């Protein structure tokens, strides 16, 4: 995942808040991925317009330590699982 990549949730998944768990989840066909707050924040910003660099800059305004490499690795894992799609400029 590059800094200029523009991640977006795949059309078959959605980000939701599960009140029974008290956490955000990523819902896909026959799958539920429970997210921690930083993971939910990352995915909430994945709209296909923002770049990875934009997402990291936004997160740095909310969290003390945000490493672009960690955000990219998180998104790479979700791309491999087909929860996230990536556009590049």
């Amino acid at each position: 995942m590059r800094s200029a990549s523009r991640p977006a949730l795949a059309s078959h998944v959605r980000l939701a808040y599960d009140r029974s768990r008290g956490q955000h989840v990523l819902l896909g066909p026959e799958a539920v991925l429970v997210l921690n707050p930083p993971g939910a924040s990352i995915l909430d910003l994945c709209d296909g317009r923002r770049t990875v660099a934009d997402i990291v800059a936004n997160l740095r305004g909310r969290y003390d330590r945000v490493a672009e490499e960690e955000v990219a690795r998180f998104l790479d894992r979700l791309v491999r699982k087909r929860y996230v799609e990536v556009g590049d400029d």
Side-chain angles (χ1 to χ4, degrees):
M1 179 93 38
R2 298 180 355 206
S3 293
S5 298
R6 297 178 186 277
L9 293 179
S11 62
H12 63 277
V13 299
R14 70 183 176 94
L15 181 62
Y17 185 77
D18 184 331
R19 283 190 266 165
S20 64
R21 287 184 173 100
Q23 292 180 283
H24 281 90
V25 293
L26 193 58
L27 301 172
E30 301 180 25
V32 175
L33 180 64
V34 179
L35 301 166
N36 62 17
S41 295
I42 292 168
L43 292 176
D44 188 48
L45 295 169
C46 290
D47 58 9
R49 293 186 317 260
R50 292 180 181 98
T51 65
V52 172
D54 294 336
I55 292 168
V56 169
N58 186 297
L59 293 172
R60 285 184 176 149
R62 300 188 224 180
Y63 298 100
D64 291 334
R65 286 177 256 153
V66 178
E68 185 169 333
E69 305 80 38
E70 289 180 21
V71 172
R73 278 196 303 269
F74 174 75
L75 292 170
D76 280 335
R77 284 193 304 272
L78 294 178
V79 167
R80 284 193 300 275
K81 292 181 180 188
R82 297 193 170 127
Y83 289 125
V84 171
E85 299 171 343
V86 179
D88 293 312
D89 280 347

